[in-house]
Amino acid sequence: MKNVWLAIIAFICLPGIGWAQQHKKDRKAEIKKIVEAQNYVFKAQTALPTAGATRQLTSDYDLRVSKDTIVSDLPYFGRAYTAPLNPSEGPLQFTTTKFQYMVSNNKKGGWNVTITPKDLTDPRELIMTIFDNGSASMVVNSNNRQPISFNGYVTAKK
């Protein structure tokens, strides 16, 4: 009787395991495609300032990446070393069309993406680690501010 129950459980569970593995492969291929095509959105869920507490982001903050434009709408929490020229604009709210985009494979799977804006003085660079499952982390290095990190995920641009 015990063997019958094991056979029934295996019959029910094994197709689900195969589907999950196929779904994981499909997700990895989708993420690889959008990263290499430079056509995705990084959705920030958590901000990790250099000093201070981690903040869960409840509003919609993102970084939109395409071949010809980077649009950032990210918050900043941290210390500035110089006063901003326009205090009404956030330091990580910008659009750039002149930037360097470099992608390399991560040793543990996924990709490392470095974006260096050429027409902005701040931020200096954005370094993203994108994992096979679509989760991602990003560090923003600035000339006039403390670095800040974000955790979130990437998704295809709509």
Side-chain angles (χ1 to χ4, degrees):
M1 189 67 170
K2 185 177 180 182
N3 291 337
V4 172
W5 282 110
L6 288 174
I8 291 172
I9 291 171
F11 181 74
I12 293 171
C13 295
L14 286 179
I17 291 170
W19 178 84
Q21 289 174 345
Q22 183 61 41
H23 179 70
K24 187 176 178 180
K25 288 179 185 176
D26 291 346
R27 181 73 176 145
K28 180 179 179 179
E30 176 190 345
I31 298 300
K32 180 179 181 179
K33 179 180 170 186
I34 64 173
V35 169
E36 290 177 350
Q38 289 178 240
N39 193 30
Y40 59 93
V41 178
F42 169 75
K43 297 280 192 176
Q45 296 175 308
T46 307
L48 300 102
T50 301
T54 298
R55 297 176 186 231
Q56 297 300 319
L57 302 176
T58 55
S59 297
D60 194 25
Y61 293 107
D62 59 28
L63 178 81
R64 294 178 294 285
V65 177
S66 62
K67 281 216 177 273
D68 60 352
T69 307
I70 304 285
V71 179
S72 175
D73 183 25
L74 295 169
Y76 181 78
F77 309 100
R79 182 177 178 190
Y81 303 120
T82 60
L85 296 174
N86 186 354
S88 66
E89 292 180 8
L92 299 181
Q93 295 173 336
F94 63 86
T95 300
T96 181
T97 57
K98 296 179 182 174
F99 58 90
Q100 183 179 11
Y101 183 89
M102 295 186 307
V103 179
S104 62
N105 290 326
N106 192 331
K107 292 178 185 176
K108 296 182 181 180
W111 304 269
N112 295 322
V113 176
T114 303
I115 300 169
T116 308
K118 299 294 185 187
D119 56 352
L120 301 170
T121 57
D122 224 16
R124 186 175 64 240
E125 68 180 354
L126 299 94
I127 302 169
M128 239 184 299
T129 302
I130 302 171
F131 301 97
D132 294 340
N133 64 0
S135 64
S137 62
M138 180 170 60
V139 177
V140 180
N141 292 315
S142 298
N143 294 316
N144 302 318
R145 292 175 164 51
Q146 289 178 321
I148 186 168
S149 300
F150 297 95
N151 290 332
Y153 61 95
V154 295
T155 185
K157 249 175 118 175
K158 294 177 184 169

